[in-house]
Amino acid sequence: MAEYSAFQVFKNGLTGNTGWKQAWRKPEPKQQYDVVIIGGGGHGLATAYYLAVNHGITNVAICEKGWLGSGNIGRNTTIVRSNYLLNGNTPFYEHSMKLWENLSHELNYNVMFSQRGIINLCHTPAQLDDTARRGNSMRLMGVDARMLTPRDLARRVPGLDLSASARFPVLGGLVQPRAGTARHDAVAWGYARAADRRGVDILENCEVTGFLRDGDKVTGVATSRGEIRARKIAVCVAGSTSHMMKLAGIEKLPIESHVLQAFVSEALKPFLDTVVTFGGGHLYISQSDKGGLVFGGDIDGYNSYAQHGNLPVVEEVMSETVALFPAAAKVRLLRSWGGIMDMSMDGTPIITTGPLTGMYLNCGWCYGGFKATPASGWCFAHTIARDEPHELSAAFTLDRFHRGYVIDEKGQGATPWKH
Amino acid sequence: MIIKCPHCGPRDLAEFSYHGDATLTRPDPASTDRDAWNAYVYDRTNPAGDHREYWQHSGGCRRHVVVSRNTLTHAITDVRFAGERK
Ligand SMILES: Cc1cc2nc3c(=O)[nH]c(=O)nc-3n(C[C@H](O)[C@H](O)[C@H](O)COP(=O)(O)OP(=O)(O)OC[C@H]3O[C@@H](n4cnc5c(N)ncnc54)[C@H](O)[C@@H]3O)c2cc1C
Ligand SMILES: [Zn+2]
């Protein structure tokens, strides 16, 4: 298949766009693979890609129950950042950031990664101190961060209500200039095409309905397209993790599934060229290249597997948006939707061997799994290929909860609906 | 979503705050059984379907209630005061 390039776009433009080929095959499942990955979201696809590229393992299938990109990879608000406080998280997310910076070239697919920066606003002196502490921690670990004054903010984000009469007056902010957004679908399609070209079979409409077992060992999966055997089975199903693991006889995990909503407005002229988060509540907002404001807030806050949410969160997110950008009051909402999030008990992901022999588990991504996509695939592929954790994800083990090594950025405790 | 508080009657979701899985049993406070505490604090069945969960009618009578709700459809089949046996 031809490389994508400006020349190809030009040539196909002149020849009626008839020269483009299908980006990935639609193969029939084989009976046996070296690795079967369950879940064709961002993490499953990235895992397959790095298994092939970093470890030379290409006899791999991805079983996806719907179409590619039907899960959270196609539902998120596309924010990419590495502005964490704690040691277990920062090196992992910063590695992800570095992979993002070269991803379009690496995949030969334009993922539209735009390093427009993310600004966290602060509204109380305590919040300012706390945020400065996080900024210092980032800089100590080699991540870019800078504090902003209200004057900086007035220049950087016109339209922001910086008046003293604002509901929660803005006292300053923290910017990570290298953060930004990417085109979420393109990330799925880019990894899919790149993995497919290296021999990975992407099996869409292939729902895993059970596990094949030999005693304690997992030896394959039963699917809606027949039984598939594999030496190694990697589970990457985000919000469906608890449900999937019950099929393997694991009844309990440190995870709850919750619905998160996202919103897009009608298209506007350029209005906001960075990502802004509100510290008086919970809101993150950016403007897409099509012109729509893309924004969201808290999860609905009760266990849910319904991919739609309820009205209290809609009202809260809208009022926060208007509190921050009064001009947005006149903007009409175009669409909203929900996705099911795998909320872990400490707000930090799980990448691990086991819990059964022959099985590998990747889950617990909470609000933040999109930005993690490259590093998650990188580290999970290593875990699968070498049967040991990657040093960047070594802190993300499943047993950390019972051993007392939780990584709780928010200091919130085991209340996943508040992370 | 509307929750029918046994004291106040049907009220909007916005009046309630969530307190999570109601099927867990808190170990005896004097217990030093680490596994029992770990299981209580961290491990969840997280079902796709029927779920028994604590809510507090914090914007109303402030009673704690146990709600039986389907996590796929949000359909509520039972609400009773916490502490009342099912
Ligand atoms: C509204 C919303 C906004 C978000 N915003 C951000 C953000 O701004 N920044 C950020 O970093 N993160 C964000 N996230 C989080 C991020 O999208 C997720 O953490 C991440 O996409 C999860 O990993 P994934 O892509 O592999 O998941 P998914 O795309 O959900 O992949 C899991 C796949 O498993 C499949 N599956 C499930 N069961 C089975 C089965 N039985 N058999 C076969 N396949 C199965 C599903 O169909 C699905 O395709 C957001 C999430 C949501 C919902
Ligand atoms: Zn009441």
Side-chain angles (χ1 to χ4, degrees):
Chain A
M1 194 189 296
E3 293 285 314
Y4 289 163
S5 64
F7 174 72
Q8 287 285 341
V9 172
F10 187 66
K11 191 177 111 186
N12 276 286
L14 291 178
T15 54
N17 282 311
T18 51
W20 300 114
K21 300 231 169 59
Q22 201 174 354
W24 59 88
R25 297 164 298 131
K26 306 267 182 208
E28 283 303 312
K30 291 192 281 184
Q31 281 176 352
Q32 171 90 40
Y33 291 92
D34 290 340
V35 179
V36 162
I37 297 169
I38 309 173
H43 294 211
L45 293 161
T47 302
Y49 174 76
Y50 293 114
L51 272 175
V53 171
N54 292 357
H55 304 282
I57 300 173
T58 55
N59 184 22
V60 175
I62 299 175
C63 299
E64 165 53 50
K65 83 172 167 195
W67 69 92
L68 200 136
S70 53
N72 290 347
I73 187 68
R75 292 168 185 270
N76 61 73
T77 44
T78 80
I79 299 166
V80 174
R81 57 186 176 85
S82 56
N83 55 359
Y84 283 76
L85 172 74
L86 299 177
N87 197 8
N89 281 326
T90 312
F92 173 83
Y93 287 105
E94 180 57 16
H95 180 62
S96 211
M97 181 64 78
K98 289 186 175 133
L99 293 173
W100 276 109
E101 286 175 327
N102 195 39
L103 198 59
S104 292
H105 290 288
E106 167 88 23
L107 300 179
N108 178 232
Y109 203 106
N110 185 3
V111 300
M112 298 167 72
F113 182 47
S114 159
Q115 291 179 292
R116 57 185 65 187
I118 186 167
I119 296 172
N120 304 133
L121 298 176
C122 304
H123 310 262
T124 63
Q127 195 173 33
L128 210 51
D129 288 348
D130 187 51
T131 305
R133 172 174 174 243
R134 179 158 53 84
N136 285 335
S137 164
M138 288 164 65
R139 292 178 72 124
L140 284 171
M141 288 189 264
V143 182
D144 57 322
R146 199 155 43 82
M147 292 303 286
L148 300 176
T149 64
R151 272 182 59 190
D152 298 331
L153 287 164
R155 240 189 344 260
R156 185 71 186 79
V157 194
L160 200 59
D161 184 359
L162 293 165
S163 64
S165 61
R167 177 66 184 81
F168 296 101
V170 176
L171 302 186
L174 176 76
V175 62
Q176 183 187 12
R178 284 158 65 243
T181 58
R183 173 80 200 277
H184 50 0
D185 298 313
V187 175
W189 299 332
Y191 272 119
R193 173 169 167 275
D196 174 271
R197 292 169 99 193
R198 285 162 180 84
V200 173
D201 281 358
I202 298 171
L203 309 171
E204 289 172 86
N205 302 308
C206 182
E207 177 172 358
V208 171
T209 53
F211 288 88
L212 309 179
R213 302 276 291 260
D214 180 6
D216 269 353
K217 195 170 160 23
V218 180
T219 56
V221 287
T223 80
S224 54
R225 297 175 68 179
E227 289 189 353
I228 304 174
R229 299 195 172 269
R231 285 196 302 116
K232 300 183 173 189
I233 315 279
V235 179
C236 245
V237 294
S240 305
T241 300
S242 296
H243 188 58
M244 174 64 53
M245 296 304 282
K246 281 195 189 90
L247 299 177
I250 311 279
E251 290 297 327
K252 292 194 174 196
L253 283 172
I255 285 195
E256 288 185 4
S257 295
H258 286 259
V259 62
L260 177 65
Q261 306 191 55
F263 306 90
V264 170
S265 77
E266 60 187 328
L268 309 170
K269 288 188 174 172
F271 170 70
L272 181 62
D273 66 355
T274 181
V275 184
V276 176
T277 75
F278 180 46
H282 192 190
L283 173 79
Y284 33 91
I285 182 165
S286 66
Q287 187 172 21
S288 78
D289 292 342
K290 272 196 282 186
L293 296 175
V294 180
F295 54 114
D298 271 327
I299 49 180
D300 270 36
Y302 44 83
N303 292 50
S304 176
Y305 284 86
Q307 280 179 328
H308 56 86
N310 272 299
L311 285 172
V313 164
V314 180
E315 187 183 359
E316 190 175 311
V317 169
M318 298 308 137
S319 49
E320 288 177 343
T321 305
V322 174
L324 215 51
F325 295 100
K330 291 184 183 160
V331 175
R332 281 168 303 184
L333 197 62
L334 191 63
R335 288 192 298 135
S336 75
W337 62 89
I340 302 308
M341 320 254 290
D342 35 338
M343 301 298 294
S344 69
M345 298 306 267
D346 61 354
T348 297
I350 295 161
I351 299 180
T352 188
T353 55
L356 301 174
T357 314
M359 185 187 259
Y360 304 81
L361 179 61
N362 174 314
C363 62
W365 292 100
C366 305
Y367 291 70
F370 177 65
K371 63 176 165 319
T373 304
S376 167
W378 183 282
C379 294
F380 198 36
H382 178 104
T383 308
I384 297 163
R386 307 273 186 87
D387 276 301
E388 62 184 24
H390 190 281
E391 59 174 347
L392 290 172
S393 59
F396 298 165
T397 54
L398 182 57
D399 65 3
R400 70 172 181 270
F401 298 94
H402 286 204
R403 289 172 52 242
Y405 288 92
V406 292
I407 308 170
D408 188 346
E409 283 274 330
K410 255 185 143 182
Q412 188 74 62
T415 47
W417 59 92
K418 289 185 179 160
H419 282 303
Chain B
M1 208 154 87
I2 290 184
I3 298 175
K4 196 169 162 195
C5 172
H7 185 262
C8 311
R11 294 299 184 93
D12 189 82
L13 170 65
E15 292 185 11
F16 294 83
S17 35
Y18 189 62
H19 291 275
D21 192 336
T23 64
L24 301 158
T25 315
R26 191 186 174 95
D28 184 286
S31 165
T32 54
D33 179 346
R34 209 173 68 165
D35 290 342
W37 279 108
N38 273 331
Y40 172 72
V41 174
Y42 295 117
D43 298 344
R44 300 288 181 269
T45 45
N46 188 26
D50 293 327
H51 192 228
R52 279 208 303 138
E53 55 201 24
Y54 289 117
W55 293 78
Q56 186 189 8
H57 194 188
S58 41
C61 64
R62 301 196 61 76
R63 291 285 299 259
H64 285 84
V65 295
V66 175
V67 175
S68 302
R69 183 179 58 91
N70 187 307
T71 58
L72 286 158
T73 62
H74 300 329
I76 293 173
T77 48
D78 188 70
V79 186
R80 60 187 61 215
F81 291 129
E84 266 177 35
R85 297 233 166 269
K86 177 152 187 176

